[in-house]
Amino acid sequence: MKVQDRVIVLNSTPFSEKSLVLHCLSREWGRRSFLVSNASRLMPFFQPLNILDCEVAENPKSRLYKASSFSSVVPLAGMRSSYGKNAISMFMAEVLYRALREDVSEPGLFAWCQEEILLLDALQADYANFHIRFLLDFASAMGFSPSYDALLPFLDDSAALAGEFLSRDAADSMLIPVSGARRSDLCARLLKYLECHLEAPLKIRSLSVLQEIQ
C-alpha cells in the first residue's frame, strides 16, 4: 500500500550503487528511514532539514519502506544562501538524527521542527544564537522541560549565560550578546544535558563547524 507523507531530511546512508537509505523525521511515522532507489539524480532534495512531500510504499515484510516521488515543500533559499545558517541547519539535523530513536514519534515534534526550520530560513539577521535556543526548546519538546536548577550541574562557568537564555523568549534570546567561544561552550554543555536525559552519547560532529565560523 502506498501513502503520502511529509518528511524532514536528517541524513542519508549509501545502500548500493544506485540506492540510499534516507533518514528522516516523518509526519506519519516519526523518526524513520526509507529506501530510495535511483538516488543519484535526487541528491539535491536530500540536504539536511529539507522538507519534502513523498510517496511511501509500505512493506509488510520489512521495516524499511520505500520512498519516491519527492517534491520540495519550501525552497529554503534563505538557509541555503547563508553559510552561517547552513552550518546551523547541519547541526540541528545531526542533533535530531542522533537524539531521536527509530520508529519513535513524539506528539507535535514534526510540526515544531518544521516551524523551527521555517523560522531559521526567514531570519535576515541576529540568528547566531539560534542553535542554543533550538537545544533548549528541543529539550522541552522531548518532555525534559529544562529549568535553571536542572541545567546547573552541567553549566559551570556558563550558568549566568544559560540563565539569561532561559529568562527570555525566543525572539529576545537572539539578541543576547555573546562571543563565539562562550556560545560554543554553552552549546556543548546543553548537549551533555540532553545526553543525560536520553541516556545515550550524541557525539555531534558538526558542532566543530559552528565553532570555526562563530
Side-chain angles (χ1 to χ4, degrees), residues 61-185:
K61 297 182 180 180
S62 173
R63 294 174 58 204
L64 190 60
Y65 296 172
K66 291 185 177 181
S68 60
S69 303
F70 294 94
S71 61
S72 178
V73 176
V74 287
L76 300 180
M79 186 184 299
R80 302 309 176 200
S81 63
S82 166
Y83 184 72
K85 286 198 284 187
N86 209 41
I88 291 173
S89 74
M90 291 174 60
F91 173 81
M92 292 166 58
E94 188 177 7
V95 169
L96 293 169
Y97 172 65
R98 299 192 182 281
L100 300 176
R101 297 178 181 177
E102 190 84 7
D103 294 330
V104 173
S105 180
E106 295 286 339
L109 184 61
F110 182 92
W112 174 79
C113 285
Q114 184 170 252
E115 289 176 3
E116 289 288 293
I117 295 165
L118 296 178
L119 176 58
L120 177 60
D121 184 64
L123 287 175
Q124 298 297 313
D126 299 321
Y127 53 79
N129 293 339
F130 192 90
H131 55 301
I132 294 178
R133 189 80 238 177
F134 168 79
L135 290 177
L136 289 169
D137 292 343
F138 176 58
S140 295
M142 293 292 287
F144 305 151
S145 299
S147 65
Y148 182 79
D149 289 341
L151 289 171
L152 193 57
F154 303 88
L155 295 177
D156 197 20
D157 294 337
S158 296
L161 181 59
E164 193 167 1
F165 272 93
L166 289 169
S167 68
R168 301 197 190 190
D169 62 22
D172 283 346
S173 66
M174 294 298 104
L175 303 177
I176 297 174
V178 54
S179 68
R182 291 196 68 203
R183 189 182 294 118
S184 296
D185 180 70

